[in-house]
Amino acid sequence: MASRTAAVMALAWAGAAAAATYQNPIVTEAKVDLGDPGALYHDGYYYLATSSGPSADAYPIHRSADLVNWEEVGHVFPQWQAKKNPAWATTDFWAPDLQKVNATHFAVYFSAHNAQRESLGVAFATNVTGPYVDIGAPLWSDPTNPQGTIDVHYHASNGQKYLVWKANQNPIWASAQLMMQKLRDDGAALVGQPWVLAKADQKWETWGCVEAPWLVERNGTWYLFYSGSMVNFPLETYAVGVARATSIEGPYTKHPGPILHRCGYNPPVLAGGEEERAAAEAPASVIGFGTGYVPGHCSVLPVEGEDDKWVMFYHGRGYTLPGGGPRVLMMDELRWGADGWPYIANACPSTTAQAAP
């Protein structure tokens, strides 16, 4: 009996050890584009909602209890066109942001086309996986911006709710800005006037593109993660950057180069020693892998139950595939330097087995 118990315990330990590693990409689906992940931790699970474009079921949701094993658990708007939810949308569901906005309700902030332009929307539910009910009209649609607004993100600080998004989605990608505006307490309407948090002003942010904002607070400092350099012009230049401020409302100072980019790509500007430091602190298994994925559009969460451990979720495009191919979901530990700036080991996606954060 004792030997059998020991064998069972050994097998259980071996299984736990195996489950403690992950390998990018963490989620792939044949012919399904899984881009722009919005992350939320709730009640023992990490949730990722992703873009769905014109698909009949909008915004697939995946979840994991251990950051290793992922499963699809539904869609934010299943059969949205047939159900007329949201009734105002016509196509192009991009960049969902799952959030818990009060003690009883979840929200998804998103963008979709309303027949004139890409517009921002919001829907609410009492369960993180839905059903979500849209408020019946766009939350914000900018008639001065023909190509519309996208990449919306919600954050709350000291009792005040905010939205951040990408504005000036214009045809030549020459003047994009990240905007912030206060939200009404119920999360269903904007109040006041928006202001600019960031614009494309770094050498690596080509084609005037900054997008995909995500906010976190750590030790009294606010960090604004974003993506820059328009994808496909060329594909390899798309990357993740970060800026920081002592107030959520700004002003934000940018890190002088991206903190996550394609392996083998050298952006026009890098922080002094940034790649050398990241490589020196990276496990040997993440140094020197290939050039397979172009990373972008991240979301960042603290790891539940860990002390100051963080994880970055992002999508990857296949560098050698036409147009990048369907995007896949990826993940890596986000680390913090002595200077307070966050970084990813080796400044590019891991593709070998890694210890789960």
Side-chain angles (χ1 to χ4, degrees):
M1 178 64 73
S3 61
R4 178 178 296 180
T5 301
V8 170
M9 291 179 64
L11 287 171
W13 181 88
T21 63
Y22 74 94
Q23 186 166 342
N24 278 322
I26 58 172
V27 181
T28 63
E29 292 188 13
K31 299 182 180 180
V32 177
D33 186 54
L34 297 173
D36 313 322
L40 173 68
Y41 179 84
H42 174 69
D43 198 22
Y45 289 95
Y46 298 86
Y47 291 86
L48 296 178
T50 50
S51 288
S52 55
S55 298
D57 297 308
Y59 301 133
I61 303 172
H62 290 79
R63 75 175 183 182
S64 173
D66 57 8
L67 295 174
V68 175
N69 301 290
W70 294 86
E71 62 176 342
E72 184 177 306
V73 291
H75 292 77
V76 172
F77 299 124
Q79 296 296 308
W80 62 269
Q81 194 167 24
K83 296 180 179 180
K84 300 187 183 302
N85 180 41
W88 57 269
T90 59
T91 189
D92 292 345
F93 286 78
W94 304 122
D97 185 29
L98 284 179
Q99 297 287 345
K100 190 170 186 180
V101 292
N102 57 42
T104 60
H105 281 78
F106 297 86
V108 59
Y109 292 91
F110 63 97
S111 68
H113 208 278
N114 73 342
Q116 286 85 37
R117 65 193 69 88
E118 200 72 9
S119 304
L120 305 184
V122 63
F124 296 95
T126 56
N127 188 294
V128 65
T129 57
Y132 283 87
V133 178
D134 178 74
I135 61 173
L139 181 66
W140 170 239
S141 186
D142 185 358
T144 69
N145 197 339
Q147 300 300 311
T149 50
I150 61 171
D151 292 357
V152 62
H153 172 57
Y154 162 100
H155 208 95
S157 175
N158 296 322
Q160 176 62 58
K161 296 179 172 70
Y162 297 89
L163 280 190
V164 191
W165 66 88
K166 176 189 179 181
N168 294 332
Q169 174 86 345
N170 66 59
I172 58 172
W173 313 100
S175 57
Q177 297 173 328
L178 300 182
M179 308 297 294
M180 174 176 269
Q181 190 168 347
K182 292 181 178 179
L183 265 177
R184 199 170 64 194
D185 188 61
D186 63 4
L190 292 161
V191 295
Q193 295 297 315
W195 62 93
V196 177
L197 279 191
K199 58 185 179 180
D201 54 14
Q202 304 289 301
K203 287 184 178 180
W204 68 273
E205 298 164 356
T206 61
W207 293 86
C209 180
V210 287
E211 58 188 16
W214 186 274
L215 285 164
V216 303
E217 188 273 336
R218 177 182 180 265
N219 297 339
T221 299
W222 289 93
Y223 294 87
L224 173 65
F225 294 87
Y226 66 96
S227 293
S229 184
M230 186 54 203
V231 66
N232 289 336
F233 293 107
L235 174 63
E236 73 168 359
T237 64
Y238 198 60
V240 174
V242 67
R244 65 185 180 186
T246 56
S247 166
I248 188 174
E249 296 185 5
Y252 283 84
T253 300
K254 288 183 179 178
H255 186 282
I259 63 169
L260 179 65
H261 54 77
R262 182 182 67 83
C263 298
Y265 169 62
N266 292 313
V269 175
L270 282 173
E274 182 68 18
E275 283 201 326
E276 290 80 2
R277 180 187 71 175
E281 298 189 16
S285 61
V286 304
I287 297 175
F289 33 78
T291 59
Y293 291 103
V294 179
H297 201 119
C298 77
S299 53
V300 175
L301 291 179
V303 178
E304 184 69 15
E306 299 286 345
D307 183 22
D308 200 29
K309 183 172 281 192
W310 297 72
V311 61
M312 176 185 285
F313 303 98
Y314 56 98
H315 69 234
R317 288 183 184 268
Y319 180 58
T320 60
L321 298 175
R327 290 172 292 180
V328 297
L329 291 178
M330 306 184 75
M331 175 186 82
D332 278 301
E333 182 178 348
L334 183 75
R335 305 176 181 193
W336 302 90
D339 56 5
W341 284 111
Y343 69 100
I344 297 291
N346 213 34
C348 71
S350 69
T351 56
T352 58
Q354 304 293 308

